[in-house]
Amino acid sequence: MDFGFRRNFKPLNNVLDKIKDYRCVEYNFKNDKDKKIGFIAQDWEKDFDAIVSKDKKGILSMKYTETIPVLLKAIQELKAEIELLKAK
């Protein structure tokens, strides 16, 4: 199978165990009253370092689009667990 310019594929495994304690938060930036919804970058940094960036001042930010495959994999793992329980 040809994947174009991409290579070194490896599946994500045990995602649910990794993300189960990640915090989902509502926040606003110091000089902005608009509410945002997001994650705590430090939660993601250890397990999914490709999603977290650090600038020259050490401030972390996240590539939210890159969280989608991780979250989808967690849903797939949950679905597999549900199907296993249904079969019992």
Side-chain angles (χ1 to χ4, degrees):
M1 190 179 314
D2 183 8
F3 290 107
F5 295 104
R6 296 181 279 169
R7 60 185 179 155
N8 300 326
F9 288 85
K10 53 182 198 176
L12 296 176
N13 293 308
N14 303 315
V15 169
L16 195 55
D17 288 335
K18 293 174 184 171
I19 70 168
K20 67 180 174 57
D21 294 324
Y22 288 5
R23 295 167 284 178
C24 303
V25 295
E26 183 176 81
Y27 65 94
N28 62 288
F29 292 107
K30 291 179 181 177
N31 297 324
D32 188 358
K33 292 184 180 186
D34 292 338
K35 295 280 184 185
K36 309 282 187 208
I37 295 175
F39 300 112
I40 304 295
Q42 289 85 344
D43 292 344
W44 290 76
E45 187 176 28
K46 178 182 157 220
D47 297 313
F48 303 102
D49 63 330
I51 292 175
V52 179
S53 300
K54 187 183 292 189
D55 70 11
K56 292 178 183 179
K57 295 179 182 179
I59 296 171
L60 300 178
S61 62
M62 292 188 57
K63 301 171 197 156
Y64 277 91
T65 304
E66 305 253 348
T67 66
I68 295 169
V70 175
L71 299 173
L72 175 59
K73 180 62 177 175
I75 292 168
Q76 291 170 339
E77 289 176 6
L78 280 172
K79 174 78 168 138
E81 285 183 27
I82 290 168
E83 294 301 320
L84 186 65
L85 289 170
K86 281 183 180 179
K88 288 184 177 182

